[in-house]
Structures are given as C-alpha cells and as structure tokens.
Amino acid sequence: MSAEQMQFRAEVSRLLDIVVHSLYSDKEVFLRELISNASDACDKLRYEALTQPELLDQEADFKITVVVDKKARTITVADNGIGMTRDELVENLGTIARSGTSAFLEQIKDAQKADISQIGQFGVGFYSAFMVAQAVEVNTRKAGSAESWCWESDGRGEFTVEEGDKAERGTEIIVYLKQGEDQFLDTERLRGIIGKYSDHIAIPVILDGEEKPANRAGALWLRSKNDITAEQYKEFYHHVAHAYDDAALTLHWRAEGVIDYTGLLFVPSVKPFDLFDPKREHGVKLYVKRVFITDHAEGLVPPWLRFLRGVVDSEDLPLNVSREMLQNNLTLAKIKRGVTKRVLSELNKFASDNAEGYATMWGNFGAVLKEGLYEDAEHRGELAKLVRCASTAGNKLVSLSDYVARMVEGQESIFYICGESVEKLQRNPHLEGFKAKGVEVLLLTETVDDFWPSALEEFEGKAFKSVTRSGEDLGKIAGQANKEKEEPKPAPEGTNDLIALIKLTLGDAVKDVRASERLTSSPVCLTADEGDLDIHLERFLKQHNQIRTPSKRILEINPKHALITQMATRAKESGAADSLKDIAWLLFDQARLLDGDTLADPVAFSERLGAVLAKAV
Ligand code: ADP
Ligand code: MG
C-alpha cells in the first residue's frame, strides 16, 4: 500500500510555519515535549491495563528511550506506552481542532520573536519538534493492535500516513535534525536537557542504551519536602500543568488518618487561556498508589478550584477503580473534602502573609473562587473570608471583614452595586447618597457578582444589600460626613403633586414613583423594589434568555434637584401638565440610560426631546 498524502488543518499549518521559521533560541524544549508525551502515553496504558492486563503482553516495565544516530543525524524518542491507531495518529498529529492551536497563534503573533517554550501549555507540544527538525517520522502501534502506522512530514502543509512495520507496541518519534542543529547529537547535551526538564518524569528515560536512567524516575510527590529543590518543584509544575510560569503557590502535604493521600498542588501565577471554557478539563491528576488514573476526575476538586494544577495520590482507592466508579466514590468524596479544606486554609494564610501576591492571585482566579459562594454551601463561610472587592473607599481591594469593621453608625447592611466597570460604577447616581454619608459601597464588576451576594446572604451577621434596591436604609444612617449639616429638610411643596403627575403619566411603565433619599446631584434614578430582581442581574438574565417579562422599577426623584423643584412648583399650576408629561418621560429615559440600559422607544424619545428643546430655546 502506498502512502496517503494529507493536509494539516489550516491553523496547524500556520502554527508549523511559525515554528519552522522561528529564530527562538531555546530549542532544547522540543525534547521535553516529546518525553512528556511519551510519559503521558505510558500513564495511559498503565491505566488501561488495570482492567485489560493482556494489553501489556510480555512487556510490563515502562520506559522511554532516547537514541542518537550521528551518521543519520537523528534523535529517536521511543516509548512502550499506549500507541496510536491510524485515526488517532491522523487526528492527534494533524487534523483535529484544538482550542489551544488558535490560542497559541494568538499569543505568538510576532513569528520571529515567538516564545516557543510556551507551546506545551496549549496542548500542541509535539509540533515543537519542527524547531530543530527538517522532517519528523512517527512510527506507532496501538497496544493490543495488529497494525502499525508510519506518519511523516517536513512540517510544510502536508503529512503522509502509511502502514508500517513496527513490531512492539508504543510510539517512536524520529527527529531528522536540520543543518546547524548538531548540538543535539551530543549525548552529554541531551543528558543535561533531560536532567533539567525531565528529572521528575516517573518513567525511566534511558539515554543511548545506558543502564542507569538519565532521570530520577520516581514519583516526586512522594519524596520528602526537604529532598526537593525549588527548581525541581518548578520543573514538575511545568510538566503536570503544561505551564511555564512560576507557580504563585505550591502546596505539598501528606494526609494521614482516616484516609491517606499525598497532595502536590500548584496555584498558577497566570490565568490559563481556557479557564472559562465549559469543556475545559480539571488540572489535578489522580493517582492511586503511584499509578496514574485520570486527569479529569470530576469528584477530586470542586469546579470552583479548577485552576489548581498538580497531583493527588491516594493510598485508599482500589487500583482497579474505573473512571466511572469514581463518580460516586465515598473515599474520593472524603479526599475532595480534605483537599478543599487544605487549599482554603492555605489561601487564607497566603492572604495574610503576602497581601500583594494574594491580590494578584485574586485577580486571576477570584471570579472562579466566587462561583463556590453560590455553588457550595459547605465551604461558603470559608470562601467568604477570601473575597476581595473594589470599593468606594479607595483604590485597594477590600476584604469583607475590612468592610464590616468600617461600617458607620446605624449601618446594618453590606452595600454593593453591580455593573460593567469600576470607573462607570463610581459615577452611578445610586451611590450619591452613600458617598454623601460616607457609607462604603462594594463595586462588583464580574458576572458571578450578580449571584453570590444573595446566595451568601450575610457576612459576620450583616446582610448584603444592593444599593439599586429601594429601601429606608439610608435614612437610618446618621452618616460620618457633614453630620452637623444633616437635618432632614421637608420635601419642597408640590413634590407630592409632581409625584402624582409622573405616576399618572408613566402609568404601567414603572412600579411606583417616590422621593429619593439616595440622590444628591442627579435628578432621577431607577431602583428595584424589595423582592424584585436586582437591575444588573435581570439584564444579565435577559441577555441569556432566562426571563421574558422584566420587573417594573421604581422611579426615584430627587426633591432637592433644581429641575425637580421647578417641576414641583409648576405641577400645582393648572395647564402646565402637558409639557411636564414630556419631561417626565424624558427623565424616565434618562434614568434608564444612566443604568446602562437602552431606550425603550428611541423615536418617541427624540420627538419629546425635540418638543422640550423647542420650548426652551
Ligand atoms: P498534548 O500532549 O498537550 O496533548 P501534543 O501536541 O504534545 O499535545 O500531543 C498531541 C497528541 O498526540 C497527544 O495528546 C497524544 O494523543 C498524541 N501523542 C503524541 N505523542 C504521543 C506518544 N508518544 N504516544 C501516544 N500518543 C502521542
Ligand atoms: Mg504534549
């Protein structure tokens, strides 16, 4: 049978084009990527063999070999892992759509300076071989299969696949070095690279037929802390997390007692590109007695800790546990609880030890942690202590405890407002009265912020309350600022007539019209009635087609505002009603716009505006 010629997927072609022409100097990372894939392939087979021992045939000892052929100018990286079928070969190394490909392309726009070392993070590490290769050949035989397949490419748009003659299971990658890359034919150079990047790989890496592996080949997480250097932790993190940053936090502990397990977990210092991709897999790998089981154990960490990377190795789960069995496994549930508690307490400690580092972590993962506030009743209380928010009190993020400690006399609730950005919120009319009385308001700008305050209900006994909700709260608060000047002034005469007139005019468009306590400089604003949905939340739900009929709002007018006092005076006069009606509608539209909403009827709006302006000129 002759070789079949196939096209790389378009994004892969573009990616390869960049990799092939890259002047990036740290080319040695290609070896790390190939060894990392070989190790993954062994892990996968070891897991499959738990239920199908026949897959291992004679050869139960896993190993990775790296062989140099100086004459042929090749490096061959081989493993006796799971191997690939023909379809897997074609898809994995050429045609399948991976979210990481475009994300990587996005990152390396400047081909010449592109930092290829990041490549593994995007799940496309294999292609890094083309930094040093003029051609790559892959021979593979899937464990348990009678066929083997050969893939070949020079990385320029096309690859070929044909039947091969590989006798043993596993995969062999032959890298045909480019001119000028002879440094990689030097065994000592390769030993150095393996020691640097692959020391923690749990499978022995055998270099050039030597007896002793070139790596330590033990499970790093089982070594004692004192035995592990910072550099080794870092390389291990890079391997398990497919990441290349310095972890913000490294947690390594052994739990002994009712259940025994070891955890080696990392909090990354940068946001993974697919943090909010619903298809995204969890980053914590589950091992049982050093055997890799799965890297997407649903029940190992809660979804709101999905940014964690690393390994949990259990002594108590049965080795033959299937991924399906894990779904409702009680031991796993206990491990999850233990891991969650540990992570929460370490984050708490991090927050008090290093406020600045913590704030950066919160910037990266706060939005994810906050999901736990409404999803996870059990850990809600602990999580609330970790929350940091922007507030009207200054530029620093504040904790809820800080907030409660600063509450003013007569203040009973934790006030917050949700919106698009802190800058926009700062100018929101709802805040005027709070600012005037020196009452701090939390400024919340992330999607999850619409949900957690009502789920959390209270913190240190103080209820959460959106400032867009109507209520008597402000009246009860004496306020810190200009206490002396604060004496309740009676609303100007005619205010009640004006309110009646606006109510009559707007009719069903509003739920009620009231004199406002919260406004100091704006004439109007809209608020949500007690029991109605928060305005920002409702808009979010509407965008996601979660509600059809929006709640009616309360229009608050500011009796102290010059426009309103004038209107109030006119409201009493007979015959003034008509022009006031147009203004009433315009004020209502203005309030909607200030809330970031759109006009209900732009044509009617401009007609009224025209009429009012015509009278004013
Ligand atoms: P990643 O390792 O992040 O999945 P790579 O580009 O490194 O991305 O590899 C792509 C895929 O090719 C792997 O997910 C795997 O399915 C397959 N693959 C690569 N190398 C091997 C190997 N040595 N044995 C079996 N499969 C492999
Ligand atoms: Mg890889």
Side-chain angles (χ1 to χ4, degrees), residues 315-352:
E315 293 295 324
D316 302 308
L317 285 165
L319 253 178
N320 62 355
V321 68
S322 71
R323 283 168 200 159
E324 294 68 43
M325 275 165 61
L326 284 173
Q327 301 253 326
N328 296 306
N329 186 287
L330 285 178
T331 307
L332 191 68
K334 283 185 194 147
I335 295 176
K336 175 183 180 179
R337 185 178 279 175
V339 169
T340 307
K341 283 224 166 79
R342 179 77 186 209
V343 173
L344 286 175
S345 81
E346 291 282 336
L347 285 175
N348 227 322
K349 200 165 155 287
F350 184 33
S352 51

Side-chain angles (χ1 to χ4, degrees), residues 510-524:
V510 290
K511 194 162 188 175
D512 200 4
V513 181
R514 292 178 193 163
S516 181
E517 286 181 25
R518 76 188 67 217
L519 295 173
T520 58
S521 49
S522 301
V524 284

